[in-house]
Amino acid sequence: MKLKLNKSNVDKIKYSKEKPVFYYDTDLIGFGIKASATRIVYFAEDQINGKTIRKNIALVGTLSPDEARKQAKVLLGEMAKGINIVEEEKKEKVKQITLSEAYKDFKKMRSLTASTIVGYDTAMNTIFKEWQNKPLISITGDMVVKKFKQKSAEAPYSANLYFRCLRAVFNFAMENYSVNDMPILPYNPCLKINKLKIWNRTERRTRYIQSEQLQDFLKGLEIKPTDSQRKILAKKQCLITLFTGCRDQEIAGLKRKDIDLKRKSICIENTKNHHKHILPYGTWLGEILEDMCRGLSPDEYIFAADNRCGHLKDHRKLIKSISQECGIDFSLHDLRRTFASIANNHISGMTQYTLKKLLNHAEDDVTAGYIQFEPEQLRKPMQEIEDFILKKAGGNRDI
């Protein structure tokens, strides 16, 4: 609809309850007003490469028609040069996205485990704290390399972890922040670490509890009258981790509903490779799990703790105390490594395929993807691993 957009006529324009109504100025081509059910706005409009480009200027009432017309002339002048002002505005907006904003989007859109989020949060709130409010495009490869070298001088292993986190956030931003499918970020600044080949070399950890140490280890897990409730739970977590080979927080995050006492199996939903892990357990461990589940409602944690996540977490001091009682220095992941070593070295007929299923490792063999596997097939090796541990522990079944 054409209308002279002066104050008298503009004041008469009403909200449109149905479809939007467009009023085009009779004096300035491309200047108009759009009336919808929720707002009435001035706009400037032109054709660029056969496509209609419309840019809102302001709400009617915030500017007079003459003021809006002046702004429209400027915008129409830009579009007359072939400049897509809407696209350019989007580009500028995306270019101002900060590291903090990108990280928030990253956490929302990526499926991350609780432990991964803790590690990423630590990196962002400590190592990269001073970069939080910087636009991503202002963080250069030279800046990344300088900070990486500084952190590497203090803690090489941690430096690798923190900067892999930063690299992941930048990769996410390159995939998700674009205009017309054109990425705004030209490159990932963390790639300069690759280019210079300065990632810190770290030895693969190999520590585990040897067979002849199992008796002392299990004796150190015996519950004492002086043990706090939290320490008792930590000892039981050590025990279950050794007998199942599961990861620290996979065990710590178990709820009553995850333990199927009838089928004698554990179901872990949130795993590192995002594949649900159903694992049968042995007879002796079943007695311990049945006792721990007694009286709990389905959604209660087996290893409940008074903290933000509701279950055992960040309890390395407790594990250190327990290791001193055992006389064996260990971490919870050492127990997973112990389980795997027992399965591979002492259980007859153990195949690499079965071992991967026990540890819930992702398959990297195309053929393996065709093999259908029932969790119940793991019961025999799980019982054999339990029997081996108990035998090496001198038949100690009173933990």
Side-chain angles (χ1 to χ4, degrees):
M1 178 186 300
K2 288 201 171 185
L3 180 69
K4 185 175 179 64
L5 296 182
N6 54 30
K7 187 176 186 310
S8 175
N9 288 334
V10 169
D11 287 344
K12 295 175 184 177
I13 295 175
K14 305 296 182 184
Y15 291 97
S16 175
K17 293 182 180 180
E18 298 178 0
K19 63 181 182 179
V21 177
F22 293 86
Y23 300 89
Y24 290 92
D25 189 33
T26 54
D27 294 340
L28 178 61
I29 296 174
F31 174 49
I33 288 178
K34 176 184 175 182
S36 66
T38 57
R39 61 180 186 168
I40 303 173
V41 296
Y42 296 109
F43 66 81
E45 178 184 293
D46 202 351
Q47 292 278 325
I48 297 179
N49 298 325
K51 182 180 179 181
T52 299
I53 305 300
R54 183 182 302 119
K55 174 71 174 72
N56 289 341
I57 298 172
L59 290 170
V60 170
T62 60
L63 293 179
S64 70
D66 288 341
E67 290 170 331
R69 186 178 284 103
K70 286 179 183 178
Q71 291 194 25
K73 285 179 180 179
V74 175
L75 296 173
L76 291 168
E78 292 293 300
M79 287 190 277
K81 298 174 186 176
I83 299 172
N84 187 332
I85 56 176
V86 173
E87 189 172 291
E88 291 301 315
E89 186 180 71
K90 286 181 181 178
K91 286 181 181 179
E92 287 304 313
K93 186 175 181 181
V94 173
K95 285 179 180 178
Q96 296 307 310
I97 292 175
T98 64
L99 177 60
S100 175
E101 292 168 334
Y103 180 52
K104 287 178 183 177
D105 290 342
F106 174 79
K107 288 200 292 185
K108 286 179 185 176
M109 297 176 66
R110 288 284 192 265
S111 178
L112 305 172
T113 63
S115 58
T116 299
I117 290 174
V118 169
Y120 278 33
D121 283 349
T122 299
M124 289 297 163
N125 295 328
T126 56
I127 307 304
F128 308 119
K129 185 177 181 180
E130 65 187 59
W131 290 356
Q132 289 278 2
N133 296 321
K134 286 184 177 292
L136 291 173
I137 61 170
S138 71
I139 300 173
T140 67
D142 288 341
M143 291 167 61
V144 168
V145 168
K146 181 179 179 181
K147 189 175 283 291
F148 178 75
K149 288 180 177 179
Q150 290 172 345
K151 184 60 185 175
S152 295
E154 303 168 9
Y157 182 75
S158 296
N160 282 358
L161 291 177
Y162 292 148
F163 281 82
R164 282 174 185 148
C165 159
L166 184 67
R167 182 178 62 185
V169 174
F170 268 95
N171 282 338
F172 164 83
M174 292 176 71
E175 293 169 3
N176 291 274
Y177 302 143
S178 63
V179 177
N180 292 336
D181 294 327
M182 293 296 292
I184 296 302
L185 290 172
Y187 81 114
N188 188 328
C190 295
L191 292 180
K192 190 153 187 179
I193 299 176
N194 294 39
K195 186 176 180 180
L196 297 177
K197 298 181 180 180
I198 57 174
W199 287 105
N200 298 299
R201 292 178 62 84
T202 54
E203 294 295 328
R204 188 179 185 90
R205 295 180 181 180
T206 58
R207 189 176 63 180
Y208 70 103
I209 295 174
Q210 298 178 23
S211 299
E212 60 270 20
Q213 295 177 304
L214 285 170
Q215 185 168 10
D216 289 338
F217 177 72
L218 291 185
K219 186 172 180 60
L221 295 185
E222 292 178 359
I223 308 302
K224 298 178 180 178
T226 55
D227 286 342
S228 66
Q229 182 59 31
R230 197 161 182 265
K231 190 169 187 177
I232 291 172
L233 287 178
K235 284 185 174 182
K236 290 183 178 180
Q237 185 190 5
C238 291
L239 195 69
I240 296 173
T241 301
L242 173 64
F243 280 85
T244 63
C246 294
R247 295 178 177 87
D248 170 7
Q249 289 304 296
E250 290 176 348
I251 295 299
L254 285 173
K255 293 182 177 181
R256 168 63 186 88
K257 63 184 179 184
D258 299 323
I259 311 295
D260 191 328
L261 296 175
K262 184 177 180 181
R263 291 187 173 86
K264 300 186 184 305
S265 64
I266 295 171
C267 178
I268 302 172
E269 296 280 355
N270 298 317
T271 64
K272 186 176 181 179
N273 63 12
H274 308 296
H275 294 161
K276 182 168 70 173
H277 188 34
I278 299 177
L279 188 68
Y281 51 76
T283 305
W284 182 79
L285 183 60
E287 295 174 5
I288 293 174
L289 289 171
E290 187 170 354
D291 182 64
M292 294 185 73
C293 288
R294 192 171 290 115
L296 297 182
S297 61
D299 283 315
E300 282 189 83
Y301 285 111
I302 303 294
F303 296 94
D306 186 17
N307 56 28
R308 189 167 59 180
C309 62
H311 59 74
L312 282 182
K313 196 174 184 67
D314 299 329
H315 50 305
R316 281 175 289 185
K317 288 184 179 179
L318 270 179
I319 299 301
K320 188 70 176 175
S321 172
I322 294 169
S323 72
Q324 289 172 351
E325 291 182 23
C326 297
I328 302 168
D329 194 21
F330 73 92
S331 70
L332 284 168
H333 204 73
D334 293 341
L335 303 184
R336 175 172 165 83
R337 206 174 286 117
T338 302
F339 172 91
S341 300
I342 291 171
N344 185 71
N345 301 335
H346 300 288
I347 305 303
S348 61
M350 177 65 64
T351 66
Q352 287 300 302
Y353 180 72
T354 300
L355 184 55
K356 279 187 175 184
K357 289 298 181 183
L358 286 170
L359 296 170
N360 195 32
H361 280 164
E363 294 295 345
D364 51 10
D365 184 343
V366 174
T367 304
Y370 286 89
I371 301 173
Q372 301 304 304
F373 196 88
E374 292 291 332
E376 191 61 28
Q377 292 174 253
L378 299 177
R379 186 170 301 283
K380 183 174 181 290
M382 285 294 289
Q383 187 62 58
E384 290 176 342
I385 292 168
E386 179 179 286
D387 292 342
F388 176 87
I389 295 172
L390 291 174
K391 182 180 178 181
K392 288 295 179 179
N396 184 357
R397 295 172 178 264
D398 300 322
I399 298 172

